[in-house]
Amino acid sequence: MTAKFLKTASLFIVSLSTYICNRMLATGTFLDRLRYSGIKPIFKKREKSHFENYRPISLFPIGSKIFEKVLYKRLCNHLTYNNILVPEQFGFRCNTSTEMAIYILINNILSSLNTKTLVGGLFCDLQKAFDCVDHDILLSKMKFYGITGSTGKLMESYLKQSYQRVIINYKWSSWKEVQHGVAQGSILGPLLFLIYINDLSNNVSDKSIPILFADDTSFILTSYDTCELRCKTNEVFNIINKWFYSNSLMLNYTKTYFLQFQAKANNGNNIHMLHINETIATVKSIKFLGLNIDTILNWKNHISDVITRLNKASYAIRSIKLFMSLTVLISTYYSNAHPITHILRKFYS
């Protein structure tokens, strides 16, 4: 059934849908047919021949979306009412955004620099974080957070005994049972991942300032002494690395960086680079939630990147304006140029 069909027939099936949903909540059983999903690989970047460069998007039956939204609302109410999710988490939550995470990062860096404190950032990258979620660990954490009874049983039914197959060019693989992970493209997937990673910041909050945006994990570290900053960074790195390992997640060491911030460059652009260890690469710039950040918070690289992206968007609109309607042109603007200008307006206002 399509979404259009359900919307058209909503008045006739609302009673049946309500009854089925109430039975699911009462018995703690997710419908078997709604546990089957098709995986559509979406190319991200780099080499197209490498499967790790694709994002697996799950396509669930439309009926699953209805019942997932009911569960999502109830889980959100429970997490919000009991203040369970840590304030350092900015991803997939109401009243939070990338702009807020960027503001917290920049504000803490500038506050430290203003007090002449050494400050550095540890920026971590996780390998296939959503796909590596351990169901048993997730269910135990949900039980710890008070998601028990029929709701806990329903979440176990939702996670386990689910099946998926890959769809490429209208060809399907055979069905396979899902052993790990939360589905990307589902309603519940992002919220379940937030529950899964929720206790990470509590392990290092006394030694650093965690800034989390779903699986993007960053930590601001400060000290008045260079050796102490190096030791503190190594300590935090070992703690989070151990936490990731015990939770069946894995750091991508080639994309985990340390960046030391300074008020200004010494002798022009000659900045002393603090070496942490052999595992963490020390860099002079990094991209954080779409924002190019360097050691002295100079925005030249970010401005150049934005100009390039806006030029491409302008060229795309200019190339099709003679052949497309105004509606298509407006849609092209909102999909290519508006997200860039919208973030700039909010960030610099």
Side-chain angles (χ1 to χ4, degrees):
M1 293 186 293
T2 63
K4 184 178 180 179
F5 172 81
L6 287 180
K7 289 179 180 180
T8 304
S10 59
L11 294 177
F12 303 98
I13 63 174
V14 62
S15 298
L16 178 60
S17 300
T18 303
Y19 173 78
I20 295 175
C21 188
N22 287 333
R23 289 296 297 168
M24 288 174 56
L25 294 171
T27 60
T29 304
F30 202 80
L31 289 177
D32 291 341
R33 185 62 188 89
L34 302 184
R35 301 178 191 171
Y36 288 77
S37 62
I39 302 297
K40 187 174 182 181
I42 303 298
F43 176 70
K44 294 188 294 185
K45 54 185 177 181
R46 299 189 180 93
E47 295 293 331
K48 289 188 175 183
S49 58
H50 296 169
F51 70 89
E52 63 269 16
N53 294 330
Y54 290 80
R55 179 177 286 109
I57 302 299
S58 299
L59 304 176
F60 283 90
I62 191 63
S64 176
K65 303 286 187 180
I66 299 174
F67 302 120
E68 281 190 72
K69 283 188 176 182
V70 175
L71 280 173
Y72 181 88
K73 186 174 182 180
R74 293 192 171 216
L75 287 176
C76 277
N77 290 338
H78 173 77
L79 296 173
T80 303
Y81 180 78
N82 294 283
N83 197 27
I84 292 175
L85 294 181
V86 294
E88 294 87 4
Q89 178 60 256
F90 294 91
F92 303 116
R93 299 179 63 185
C94 295
N95 302 319
T96 62
S97 61
T98 55
E99 291 90 346
M100 291 183 64
I102 292 171
Y103 170 78
I104 295 296
L105 178 82
I106 300 299
N107 185 61
N108 279 284
I109 294 171
L110 292 177
S111 298
S112 299
L113 293 177
N114 287 336
T115 58
K116 301 188 182 302
T117 306
L118 297 176
V119 55
L122 182 61
F123 300 88
C124 304
D125 181 79
L126 293 174
Q127 292 184 351
K128 304 293 182 182
F130 279 69
D131 302 325
C132 295
V133 171
D134 187 286
H135 292 164
D136 292 327
I137 296 177
L138 175 58
L139 289 171
S140 66
K141 291 186 178 186
M142 295 178 73
K143 183 178 181 180
F144 175 79
Y145 292 135
I147 304 172
T148 57
S150 60
T151 305
K153 185 180 177 183
L154 179 59
M155 294 312 305
E156 182 177 1
S157 174
Y158 171 81
L159 288 170
K160 295 193 172 183
Q161 298 179 356
S162 298
Y163 296 86
Q164 62 185 21
R165 63 180 179 181
V166 180
I167 305 173
I168 300 178
N169 295 330
Y170 301 100
K171 295 182 179 180
W172 301 268
S173 66
S174 58
W175 291 105
K176 295 292 183 180
E177 186 176 356
V178 180
Q179 302 290 340
H180 294 85
V182 291
Q184 299 185 57
S186 64
I187 303 295
L188 282 174
L191 182 61
L192 295 179
F193 185 80
L194 295 190
I195 296 174
Y196 192 77
I197 205 172
N198 189 59
D199 59 310
L200 169 61
S201 63
N202 294 330
N203 290 268
V204 292
S205 58
D206 59 331
K207 302 176 180 63
S208 65
I209 302 173
I211 301 174
L212 312 178
F213 195 92
D215 59 335
D216 287 322
T217 54
S218 308
F219 305 89
I220 300 299
L221 305 108
T222 59
S223 177
Y224 289 100
D225 180 73
T226 302
C227 293
E228 184 183 355
L229 179 62
R230 181 187 291 108
C231 293
K232 185 182 289 188
T233 304
N234 278 313
E235 184 180 4
V236 170
F237 176 75
N238 292 330
I239 291 173
I240 62 175
N241 201 19
K242 183 179 180 180
W243 186 94
F244 287 137
Y245 179 80
S246 62
N247 285 270
S248 299
L249 299 176
M250 184 179 295
L251 268 175
N252 187 348
Y253 297 117
T254 60
K255 296 182 180 179
T256 297
Y257 304 109
F258 175 80
L259 184 65
Q260 184 180 357
F261 300 97
Q262 296 190 12
K264 61 180 180 179
N266 299 321
N267 298 325
N269 293 321
N270 184 23
I271 299 176
H272 175 68
M273 304 294 288
L274 178 63
H275 179 70
I276 302 302
N277 58 42
E278 298 300 328
T279 306
I280 309 173
T282 301
V283 296
K284 293 184 178 181
S285 63
I286 195 173
K287 179 168 280 191
F288 175 75
L289 299 178
L291 184 71
N292 290 291
I293 300 175
D294 63 12
T295 54
I296 58 174
L297 298 182
N298 188 314
W299 308 115
K300 289 183 178 179
N301 292 334
H302 181 71
I303 293 172
S304 299
D305 181 58
V306 169
I307 291 174
T308 301
R309 294 165 62 190
L310 285 176
N311 284 338
K312 291 181 179 179
S314 300
Y315 176 77
I317 296 174
R318 188 167 58 249
S319 299
I320 65 173
K321 68 177 182 179
L322 297 178
F323 314 101
M324 299 297 177
S325 64
L326 180 61
T327 303
V328 174
L329 292 175
I330 293 175
S331 177
T332 304
Y333 164 77
Y334 276 103
S335 61
N336 291 277
H338 185 75
I340 305 172
T341 57
H342 177 68
I343 292 176
L344 288 174
R345 284 198 302 269
K346 294 190 69 174
F347 183 71
Y348 291 109
S349 62

